[in-house]
Amino acid sequence: MTNTQSFDAAMRAFAPALPLAVGLSGGADSTALLLACARRWPGQVQAIHVHHGLQAAADGFEQHCVRLCRELQVPLSVQRLDARPTPGQSPEDAARQARYKAFEAVALDGKAQVAIKSIALAQHADDQVETVLLALSRGAGVAGLAAMPACWERAGLQWHRPLLRVSAADVRHWLREQGQAWVEDPTNTDERFTRNRIRVQLMPVLEAAFPAFRATFARSASHAAQAAELLEELARDDALAVGLPPQIAPLQRLGRARQANVLRHWLRVDHQTTPAAAQLAELLDQIQACTTRGHRIHIKVGRGYVVRSGSKLDWYNP
């Protein structure tokens, strides 16, 4: 495919439920996505811009978004928020979580004239590669290696990433052909951020050594997503057998890998926490050693503690 064909093909394949909201940062990727959507579904698209208030350039992003939406005759909702991280939270995660909440607030606003059914985000193939590499650097399991899904449901909304198979270069080439300007985030070149180091230092090397790396990484992420889905199905089945919170005796009858899988499921679903690998390994060892009535379990796991409570496990956050 030529530079613009991959973008055009991705947009032709994109079939969201309408009306649609597009997350608009003002950068090249979201500018291209909004422009393409507004042309394809006139009157059915609106934009949501999140002003994080974290850098001086943020006002310039907002001004670009206002001008663009005025030109496209697309309604724009600007959400201003405090995206400063909490203790122990990364700035990137804090900003991401704040964006999702802002998008949902706009889409689910009962006073809005039009009920939004879908939200489109502009992450592309390079973003997916960065996410996979970050997951590998952190020793993630298959759920982490699955990286970003192309579509999913959250808060009663359909979410889409239609550009996940389109390279960053192709997005920009398409925009230049349209004669459309965008703004560059100055933090994108700050190599104190891991994603930026991957983009600046690793991506050119991968491009030279493995020209098809975007497609192959995407395929690996898809395989990991399938494996993660199977593990989740198995965890739900095992949860029916061991109970939630887990009963120790039936838990011990499972193999160690299935114990780990169902415990991750319990902690994530019931307590919104994720155990570190070392924490989970210690918990599994204690479960195996729990053969007497007096055996005590009290282990730091995620943001709280897993304890033994009679014949079962429990979790609390002090």
Side-chain angles (χ1 to χ4, degrees):
M1 287 189 181
T2 64
N3 288 341
T4 58
Q5 283 178 333
S6 65
F7 183 92
D8 289 335
M11 291 309 302
R12 284 195 301 271
F14 183 34
L18 300 174
L20 169 72
V22 175
L24 178 65
S25 69
D29 317 315
S30 62
T31 296
L33 181 59
L34 179 65
L35 178 59
C37 290
R39 287 177 176 175
R40 185 172 176 188
W41 299 293
Q44 294 289 305
V45 177
Q46 73 176 69
I48 305 172
H49 175 72
V50 176
H51 189 302
H52 294 95
L54 296 176
Q55 54 174 305
D59 290 339
F61 303 156
E62 180 181 333
Q63 292 165 9
H64 167 81
C65 294
V66 170
R67 287 193 299 268
L68 176 65
C69 290
R70 186 183 300 125
E71 292 169 4
L72 298 176
Q73 297 184 326
V74 168
L76 171 65
S77 174
V78 176
Q79 297 290 297
R80 292 177 175 267
L81 47 86
D82 183 353
R84 287 175 295 184
T86 59
Q89 185 182 32
S90 72
E92 297 93 332
D93 182 58
R96 182 172 56 253
Q97 294 300 327
R99 279 196 301 274
Y100 276 113
K101 290 178 181 178
F103 292 153
E104 290 170 9
V106 174
L108 301 175
D109 183 0
K111 299 178 182 178
Q113 293 182 346
V114 178
I116 297 300
K117 294 183 179 178
S118 304
I119 296 179
L121 306 177
Q123 286 92 354
H124 47 63
D126 294 54
D127 294 322
Q128 188 75 314
V129 170
E130 292 166 14
T131 302
V132 171
L133 290 172
L134 278 170
L136 284 168
S137 73
R138 295 165 179 164
V142 291
L145 296 175
M148 296 181 288
C151 56
W152 72 105
E153 290 191 9
R154 170 177 166 149
L157 299 164
Q158 294 180 18
W159 298 73
H160 301 270
R161 293 188 177 101
L163 303 181
L164 277 186
R165 297 300 178 98
V166 184
S167 72
D170 285 355
V171 172
R172 284 156 177 74
H173 188 90
W174 185 88
L175 267 183
R176 292 188 188 99
E177 285 203 347
Q178 314 309 308
Q180 177 62 58
W182 66 89
V183 290
E184 290 287 355
D185 186 339
T187 66
N188 284 343
T189 57
D190 186 346
E191 294 187 31
R192 289 176 298 176
F193 297 105
T194 306
R195 273 192 180 273
N196 293 345
R197 291 199 299 275
I198 291 173
R199 187 178 307 127
V200 173
Q201 300 176 19
L202 295 186
M203 298 288 269
V205 176
L206 286 170
E207 185 86 61
F210 309 105
F213 75 100
R214 292 178 182 84
T216 56
F217 273 51
R219 192 158 60 244
S220 291
S222 179
H223 294 327
Q226 290 181 355
E229 186 176 347
L230 289 173
L231 287 174
E232 182 62 18
E233 290 180 9
L234 180 61
R236 288 195 293 266
D237 288 344
D238 284 343
L240 293 175
V242 305
L244 294 181
Q247 298 287 321
I248 294 172
L251 190 62
Q252 289 173 325
R253 290 193 285 270
L254 298 177
R256 188 177 176 95
R258 286 176 67 173
Q259 288 180 26
N261 190 47
V262 73
L263 288 170
R264 287 193 198 95
H265 172 82
W266 165 54
L267 292 165
R268 183 182 66 253
V269 172
D270 285 11
H271 303 293
Q272 295 76 54
T273 195
T274 302
Q279 293 172 341
L280 186 58
E282 183 182 1
L283 177 57
L284 293 171
D285 289 343
Q286 289 300 313
I287 290 169
Q288 182 180 9
C290 190
T291 57
T292 62
R293 186 173 299 177
H295 187 94
R296 181 174 178 267
I297 295 177
H298 188 277
I299 300 172
K300 180 77 168 70
V301 174
R303 295 175 290 103
Y305 292 85
V306 171
V307 296
R308 179 179 180 178
S309 178
S311 62
K312 62 182 176 60
L313 299 176
D314 205 350
W315 184 91
Y316 75 96
N317 185 8

